Every structure is written in structure tokens, then in C-alpha cells.
Amino acid sequence: DGRDGRDGRDGMRREKSSRGFDRIDAPPRTFSKNRTQEQASLRPQSSMRRSPSSGSAMNERQDRSERSDKSRTSASEAASTEVVQSLSEEELVRKMKTILEELYTNKDETEAVKEMKDLPAPGDATVKQAVITSMDMKSFDVELLSRVLMAYDKADASAFDGAANQVLAELADLVVDVPMATKNCGRIFADLIVAGKLTLSSVLKHAATADIEPPPEGEDTMLVDGGDALKLTREILGRVTAAKEDGESVSVDKKSISALIPKMDRSDEAAEALLKEFGM
């Protein structure tokens, strides 16, 4: 009986063991998957699908974000512009020198005009610095600079006129360091006169009156007194009369010419001789 009892218990263990192996070999139960699906079906619909109102809210938030980004960009650009526009004259001179160095090296007139137009400065200040800075360089191309200035359309006639007056006011001092400055300025101004950017009468008037400090009453400006105004006038008249077309006349009144002759040499005869020299 004892053996039968043990045999019965062993049989039960073997049966349990065999059923256990059967469970391991059998396909996995799927109750977990079914339970997951059931839980998912019980979730609120709003968590599974975005309602129209939530979409509008998201679009609105995105629009606000884009507007905010644009506002920050515009503010940044405005601040940058304010910084650039507050450049000192020394900084403007440095920028102009860089532009001119590239111009005389690469001969790219179009690029030079574009960069000059992008400068944060009035037209007259830009033209003035282009002329004066060139005079201070060891070598430059007068003809090339003249063409660039003729193509510079950011400045109107009054701006060119103002620039000429400013250049001539400083020319007497500039000549001390750059003896060829008078001749080169004359060539550039003559080209601008022929191109219609300047008028002959206005340039000659500036040449007779422009000065950093007004001279004592009855005295000549430094430019006239030193004879550089007369040299400038000869250079301008020579190029302007040579460029005139057939049938075109160039006229200057004797009084205007006389004012450009140094006081010690001034006379009606001297003015008439100068006009006759250029067929005027």
C-alpha cells in the first residue's frame, strides 16, 4: 500500500510536470493584448483625436510665435541700422578707403557703386569722402573714380554741389600733403560737369569762396590766395571745353573768372586773357 501511495503521488507529479512543459511549449496567451485594446477603447476620445478647437488653438499659438519672431527680427534689424547710422566720420572714411582700394584693384565699378549706396551716410558726405580719400591714396585712377561718381545716383544735384563745396573748402590744406590734389580734383569736377552732375558756374563760385574758416573782409580765401583756385579753374575749363560737342558753347562771365585770380594779379585784362585762352 505504501508503494502504491508513492507511485500514485509520483504519477501526479509527473502529470503536473508534463502539463507544465505543455504550457511552455504552447502558444503564448493573448489576454494581455486584449486587455490593452480594451483599455485603449476606454480612453477619452479627446486624447486620441485632436478636436477642431484644439487645432485652431495650436495654429493661433504658432501664428503668435511667428509674429513674435518677426518682431524680434525687425527690432534687431532696426537696432543694427541705428548702430550703423551712428558711425563717426573716421569710420566712414575707413569704409570708403576699403571700397576705393577694392575698386582700384578689381576695377569693378558696379560693385563700388553698390557699396557706396549702401553706406549709411548722406549723398554729399559720400561723394566728398570718395574724392578726398582718393587724393590721400598713393595711387588711384581718376577716370575710374569719375565714372563711379557719375553712376552714383543716391545723390542728387544739390548733394553733388554740396560735396564740391566741402571738398574745395579743404583743398588748400590737402594740397600741402598731396600736390597733385588740385589737378586731380579739377579733372573729377570737370567730368561731373560734363555728365550734368555739377554746373560750371557753381563749381567756380565755390572755388572762389569755399574755405574752412571765412577770410577777413576784403581778403581772398586760402585756395585763391595760394593760386590753387586758378590752377583748378584751368584744369576744369580745359577738360570741359575739350568735351563740348560741335556747336555747343561754354560761357563764363568775366567777374566770376576774376574772383579766382589772386588779388595781387587780379585785373580785367588777366580775366580776359584767361577766357581767351579757352576760346571763351
Side-chain angles (χ1 to χ4, degrees):
D1 294 338
R3 284 195 298 271
D4 292 340
R6 285 195 297 271
D7 292 341
R9 287 193 294 270
D10 292 341
M12 291 176 66
R13 282 198 294 269
R14 283 196 297 271
E15 182 180 356
K16 289 180 180 178
S17 175
S18 65
R19 283 200 297 269
F21 281 108
D22 289 341
R23 285 196 298 271
I24 293 173
D25 294 336
R29 288 176 294 179
T30 60
F31 73 91
S32 297
K33 179 177 179 182
N34 293 335
R35 185 170 59 189
T36 302
Q37 291 175 345
E38 291 173 359
Q39 290 174 343
S41 66
L42 295 174
R43 291 173 187 164
Q45 292 298 318
S46 59
S47 65
M48 299 177 61
R49 183 168 50 221
R50 186 182 298 116
S51 65
S53 60
S54 65
S56 300
M58 179 173 289
N59 291 336
E60 184 177 351
R61 286 195 297 271
Q62 184 175 359
D63 291 341
R64 283 201 301 268
S65 176
E66 291 177 354
R67 287 196 298 270
S68 178
D69 291 341
K70 290 180 180 179
S71 297
R72 285 194 295 269
T73 301
S74 300
S76 176
E77 291 175 350
S80 176
T81 301
E82 290 176 0
V83 172
V84 172
Q85 289 179 341
S86 64
L87 290 175
S88 65
E89 184 175 354
E90 290 75 15
E91 290 171 319
L92 178 58
V93 170
R94 285 197 295 270
K95 286 181 176 291
M96 179 59 73
K97 188 171 184 178
T98 300
I99 293 173
L100 295 175
E101 286 175 346
E102 292 177 355
L103 169 65
Y104 300 139
T105 300
N106 303 325
K107 311 298 182 184
D108 191 340
E109 300 173 28
T110 302
E111 182 63 22
V113 172
K114 178 182 179 299
E115 291 181 355
M116 284 174 60
K117 290 171 70 174
D118 289 341
L119 285 174
D124 59 342
T126 301
V127 173
K128 171 199 169 184
Q129 291 302 341
V131 176
I132 289 183
T133 303
S134 289
M135 301 299 149
D136 201 33
M137 298 174 72
K138 291 183 178 179
S139 62
F140 73 98
D141 190 330
V142 176
E143 303 293 343
L144 192 61
L145 178 60
S146 292
R147 289 198 296 271
V148 167
L149 291 176
M150 285 187 281
Y152 177 68
D153 56 4
K154 185 178 178 180
D156 56 15
S158 62
F160 272 96
D161 188 67
N165 187 38
Q166 295 173 44
V167 169
L168 292 172
E170 299 182 23
L171 185 58
D173 287 339
L174 187 60
V175 171
V176 175
D177 298 320
V178 188
M180 289 293 291
T182 300
K183 181 179 179 68
N184 290 333
C185 278
R187 294 175 63 183
I188 293 171
F189 288 159
D191 292 343
L192 294 176
I193 290 169
V194 172
K197 296 287 187 178
L198 290 170
T199 62
L200 177 59
S201 60
S202 182
V203 171
L204 295 182
K205 180 180 178 181
H206 293 323
T209 59
D211 209 338
I212 295 177
E213 296 182 2
E217 187 175 354
E219 297 296 325
D220 291 334
T221 64
M222 291 179 62
L223 196 64
V224 173
D225 188 58
D228 288 296
L230 187 57
K231 293 178 184 177
L232 179 84
T233 300
R234 289 180 181 277
E235 188 66 34
I236 290 174
L237 293 180
R239 291 179 72 84
V240 170
T241 54
K244 68 179 182 180
E245 299 178 356
D246 294 339
E248 184 181 6
S249 62
V250 178
S251 62
V252 180
D253 65 273
K254 185 169 64 175
K255 183 177 180 180
S256 297
I257 289 294
S258 181
L260 295 160
I261 302 172
K263 191 174 182 179
M264 64 177 63
D265 301 323
R266 189 175 299 149
S267 66
D268 288 344
E269 291 75 14
E272 290 172 359
L274 185 60
L275 291 172
K276 186 177 180 180
E277 180 182 344
F278 296 100
M280 301 170 67

